[in-house]
Amino acid sequence: MKNFIIFSLLFAMGCSTGPHQKSQMITSPDGNVQFILSDTTGKLTYSVVFNKNKVIENSPLVISVDSVDITRGATIEKTKSYQVNETYPWYGAHATAVNHCNGVKVSLAAGKTGLHYTLDVRAYNNGVAFRWMIPGDSTSHRVPDEATGFTLPASSTAWYHNLRMHYEGIYDKKGLDTVQAGEWAAPPVTSKLPAGAGYVSITEADLVDYSGMALQTNGKHGFILRLAQHQPVSYPYELRYSKADVERSLQPAVITGTIVTPWRVVIVGADLNSLVNNDIVHNLCPPPDKSLFPEGIKTSWIKPGRAVWKYLDDGGPSTPENMKRFSKLAGKLGFQYNILEGFWAKWSDDTMKDLINYSNRQGVGIWVWKHSKELRDPEKRQAFFQHCHDLGVTGVKIDFFDSEARSVVDLYQSILKETAAEHLLVDFHGADKPTGLARTWPNELNREAVKGMESRSLKDRATHTTILPFARYLAGHADYTPVIFNERRANTTWANQVASAVIIDGALLTYAASPEHILSNPCAEMIESIPAVWDETIVLPPSEIGELAVFARRKGKTWFLAVLNGTKTKHVSIPLSFLGTTAYKATLIRDDKSNSAAVKIEHKTLKRQDKIELDLGEGGGFIGRFSVE
């Protein structure tokens, strides 16, 4: 319990004393992270310290209920400490998630209202999280709002995109000292701190029964939390929904009973490896219901895998015969799934059953697409899922949410619960950022919420894919649909495209390239060997956000080394020290400098004492596989 919580005035932190001034500090298990809460100056403020540096400077904690700011004049009454220390299986950067934190429930009294409520705070070795709990009975119907700040150190650099395309934007690199107030930012927002102090990423976790959070710049090198009713309506939502729907999406969420907000999360890391290997977001979500998932994420029908998809790469006609061909080729690749867009709905049940039975004989399951608007009615939604189950469908790809209004958030929960009852896997598209709920609902294998390969207009794909692993992917899986060999690859090489399947991943790993184009490519054997989920991930230097991503990932005894380069040419030397002590049979795929649509492949024996030397051009890449001889 040493360093767990300090119930005293924080002279060492520069906190002043006074008759109504009190501060609390919650410290991580390793002592390197502190959340400092203060009720001084008539308002609640907090800061976050990492390795003795303030990574979130003094910032306001603000929540209101029915337009009354209950944090103004609030005082700390008492605290109750607790600990969490567990591990559980996970499909992400590593196979086992570690959930270890020190927590404190801080009882607060609002100023003039007399309301008593709780701030729940957790300090992890690599971040902090906090949420509000405001009691109420079944007859209380209240509207919460929040305006908590996140003030970063001066001279911090951030990467974020606005909300115009919802969560499918292009990231900008911004010096926060130069950013004016009022810019919108879609979480996670990742910042590099000055003077080598590390990295911070801000997002939320366990978003249920509430509206989603975005961030808005405050013009003082920081951000303010803004709920959905304040956010601009996204272009995709305006495009696909009526004016009445748009107006409803801007109505604030009414909460019945106790108000429990999502967790507000600040991830910290000394380097990019610690950011990527962070488990905080899913740790903050409840474990799966054993009545639905008796073995949790390892329940027999929860099966990560790789998928073929007709949509982007000259896949041919939308016919049952062609989809049989896709399933046959998927089986030849060793892929587990074939995803059908909306054309399937025009076929008869007998046609679908014939396709599904044929595909199953190839070892391939069928996923089907559906517009989320058609699932708003509970009876129609449940009937659809029952129909999919009766047909033998493996999973559903549900599209066009495009809003974080409370009604949309509730729809996600209903879909996940009802598909779980029918043993259906789920992939959300046109979606909001994940908030860790794949832990609670492991039938969610992926969700889009990213500008992926579907975007034909993305010209600088090289920079984009060297930002995503350190920004969007910190929230959880993203259905980018990597790997294509045609013009959609923009300013990237073939080697870069193949390597992206290792770095831009997901438990449902859907390839953009058609299966025949994969099979005819010289990289086919490598692609066939890339798994959908990993046992271990190491982000290696000299990785740099927006410039270079170097990942070593292990599945079983086999290691993969993947490199994605941005737009600047560079020489990179990568020690193979992540390998074991034995010799490894290596397959190495490099860029052909004379042709971005070609590769050079070599086979050799390598050991951990060796290095990989790379000369990378714009959008260059590399992938190596290292198998025990």
Side-chain angles (χ1 to χ4, degrees):
M1 298 294 290
K2 183 179 180 181
N3 285 329
F4 177 29
I5 183 166
I6 299 176
F7 295 104
S8 63
L9 298 175
L10 302 178
F11 296 104
M13 300 306 301
C15 296
S16 60
T17 63
H20 302 293
Q21 296 173 341
K22 193 188 302 180
S23 298
Q24 302 292 334
M25 182 167 73
I26 299 93
T27 302
S28 62
D30 67 1
N32 291 329
V33 176
Q34 293 90 35
F35 180 98
I36 302 162
L37 172 67
S38 175
D39 65 2
T40 61
T41 67
K43 59 183 179 181
L44 292 177
T45 61
Y46 79 103
S47 60
V48 179
V49 174
F50 174 53
N51 287 341
K52 300 181 180 179
N53 296 305
K54 270 194 178 181
V55 296
I56 297 291
E57 298 183 343
N58 292 340
S59 301
L61 284 163
V62 181
I63 187 168
S64 64
V65 177
D66 293 335
S67 301
V68 176
D69 181 356
I70 64 172
T71 52
R72 184 175 296 277
T75 56
I76 300 170
E77 292 189 312
K78 61 181 179 178
T79 60
K80 181 179 181 180
S81 62
Y82 63 94
Q83 288 184 313
V84 179
N85 193 1
E86 63 174 344
T87 60
Y88 55 90
W90 186 242
Y91 295 137
H94 36 254
T96 302
V98 177
N99 187 9
H100 189 198
C101 68
N102 293 326
V104 174
K105 293 184 177 180
V106 183
S107 296
L108 298 158
K112 296 181 180 180
T113 67
L115 179 66
H116 295 264
Y117 59 101
T118 299
L119 179 66
D120 192 358
V121 182
R122 294 184 182 181
Y124 293 82
N125 294 343
N126 44 18
V128 301
F130 55 93
R131 66 176 176 180
W132 305 97
M133 295 183 290
I134 304 166
D137 58 34
S138 59
T139 63
S140 62
H141 308 284
R142 297 169 296 171
V143 176
D145 199 2
E146 299 181 62
T148 289
F150 301 85
T151 304
L152 287 117
S155 302
S156 296
T157 301
W159 288 262
Y160 58 88
H161 65 77
N162 62 30
L163 301 181
R164 177 59 178 158
M165 297 301 296
H166 199 45
Y167 281 90
E168 298 179 32
I170 299 174
Y171 286 82
D172 290 317
K173 178 182 179 181
K174 300 284 186 79
L176 287 181
D177 290 352
T178 66
V179 174
Q180 301 298 309
E183 290 190 8
W184 288 99
V189 172
T190 297
S191 298
K192 184 176 183 179
L193 305 176
Y199 299 85
V200 165
S201 193
I202 302 166
T203 190
E204 67 179 328
D206 197 20
L207 172 56
V208 296
D209 302 327
Y210 210 74
S211 61
M213 162 191 125
L215 297 170
Q216 195 170 24
T217 57
N218 62 9
K220 300 177 181 178
H221 47 86
F223 299 89
I224 300 171
L225 188 161
R226 303 290 277 166
L227 296 181
Q229 66 265 29
H230 302 293
Q231 298 167 22
V233 178
S234 72
Y235 170 73
Y237 199 82
E238 288 180 322
L239 179 68
R240 296 177 179 124
Y241 290 90
S242 69
K243 289 184 178 180
D245 289 324
V246 170
E247 290 176 2
R248 278 192 293 270
S249 75
L250 294 173
Q251 296 301 308
V254 177
I255 309 298
T256 300
T258 298
I259 297 171
V260 180
T261 74
W263 292 92
R264 285 48 183 107
V265 182
V266 179
I267 302 169
V268 300
D271 54 27
L272 295 176
N273 182 57
S274 57
L275 274 189
V276 169
N277 280 286
N278 200 297
D279 290 317
I280 290 179
V281 174
H282 40 275
N283 282 345
L284 292 162
C285 297
D289 183 343
K290 288 189 176 181
S291 67
L292 292 170
F293 308 100
E295 302 300 325
I297 204 166
K298 299 294 185 179
T299 297
S300 61
W301 58 275
I302 307 295
K303 296 178 179 178
R306 299 161 296 167
V308 296
W309 185 38
K310 189 187 83 71
Y311 192 60
L312 294 182
D313 191 24
D314 301 323
S318 301
T319 62
E321 293 74 20
N322 193 35
M323 288 302 94
K324 284 184 177 181
R325 183 177 69 89
F326 260 66
S327 291
K328 182 177 182 179
L329 294 174
K332 188 173 181 179
L333 284 165
F335 287 12
Q336 291 77 23
Y337 300 121
N338 180 6
I339 297 178
L340 278 57
E341 289 300 304
F343 54 78
W344 74 276
K346 299 177 182 179
W347 302 342
S348 69
D349 286 357
D350 287 343
T351 298
M352 278 298 293
K353 288 180 180 179
D354 179 60
L355 169 63
I356 289 167
N357 291 335
Y358 174 86
S359 300
N360 289 343
R361 292 195 294 271
Q362 315 306 312
V364 174
I366 293 293
W367 290 61
V368 297
W369 181 94
K370 188 73 169 177
H371 196 309
S372 64
K373 188 174 183 177
E374 299 176 38
L375 301 178
R376 289 182 175 182
D377 180 272
E379 290 186 6
K380 292 180 179 178
R381 184 175 63 242
Q382 293 170 27
F384 173 70
F385 295 145
Q386 178 68 55
H387 185 223
C388 288
H389 172 85
D390 293 345
L391 289 174
V393 166
T394 297
V396 288
K397 178 179 177 180
I398 304 175
D399 209 343
F400 301 149
F401 294 86
D402 303 315
S403 167
E404 286 184 305
R406 165 73 190 272
S407 59
V408 177
V409 171
D410 290 347
L411 181 58
Y412 283 113
Q413 291 298 297
S414 297
I415 289 170
L416 287 166
K417 182 178 181 179
E418 292 162 17
T419 51
E422 301 294 346
H423 291 193
L424 292 171
L425 303 175
V426 179
D427 177 21
F428 290 120
H429 265 234
D432 309 333
K433 64 185 177 298
T435 62
L437 287 162
R439 182 188 183 191
T440 308
W441 303 102
N443 54 321
E444 182 188 315
L445 290 194
N446 216 338
R447 67 168 66 193
E448 190 179 24
V450 67
K451 184 173 282 295
M453 199 64 75
E454 285 190 64
S455 175
R456 187 183 295 274
S457 63
L458 182 55
K459 303 302 181 184
D460 185 8
R461 202 168 287 279
T463 298
H464 190 60
T465 54
T466 55
I467 295 173
L468 292 179
F470 313 116
R472 163 62 182 84
Y473 272 84
L474 299 184
H477 49 218
D479 198 5
Y480 181 88
T481 61
V483 185
I484 204 160
F485 305 111
N486 63 26
E487 71 282 355
R488 283 182 183 268
R489 63 186 170 86
N491 60 338
T492 65
T493 65
W494 275 11
N496 180 295
Q497 284 296 306
V498 178
S500 71
V502 173
I503 296 177
I504 309 296
D505 64 339
L508 174 66
L509 182 57
T510 303
Y511 279 76
S514 64
E516 59 263 58
H517 289 162
I518 295 175
L519 287 164
S520 63
N521 192 277
C523 302
E525 191 272 334
M526 176 67 78
I527 293 171
E528 291 172 19
S529 70
I530 297 172
V533 294
W534 301 95
D535 295 331
E536 183 179 358
T537 296
I538 305 172
V539 181
L540 299 169
S543 295
E544 190 69 36
I545 302 175
E547 297 182 16
L548 185 71
V550 183
F551 277 51
R553 298 193 118 161
R554 179 179 60 82
K555 183 68 173 178
K557 295 181 179 180
T558 301
W559 282 94
F560 290 78
L561 176 64
V563 179
L564 303 179
N565 190 38
T567 58
K568 297 178 181 178
T569 60
K570 55 180 66 72
H571 177 81
V572 180
S573 179
I574 306 171
L576 299 180
S577 54
F578 55 86
L579 296 176
T581 57
T582 188
Y584 286 77
K585 181 180 178 182
T587 298
L588 311 177
I589 299 180
R590 304 172 183 265
D591 294 323
D592 183 333
K593 293 181 181 179
S594 65
N595 184 0
S596 65
V599 294
K600 293 184 177 180
I601 301 176
E602 57 182 321
H603 304 277
K604 58 171 61 176
T605 298
L606 294 172
K607 297 182 179 180
R608 61 180 297 142
Q609 295 83 8
D610 295 317
K611 295 182 179 180
I612 298 292
E613 303 286 344
L614 299 174
D615 289 304
L616 298 167
E618 178 180 3
F622 167 86
I623 182 169
R625 184 183 64 231
F626 305 86
S627 305
V628 177
E629 286 195 313

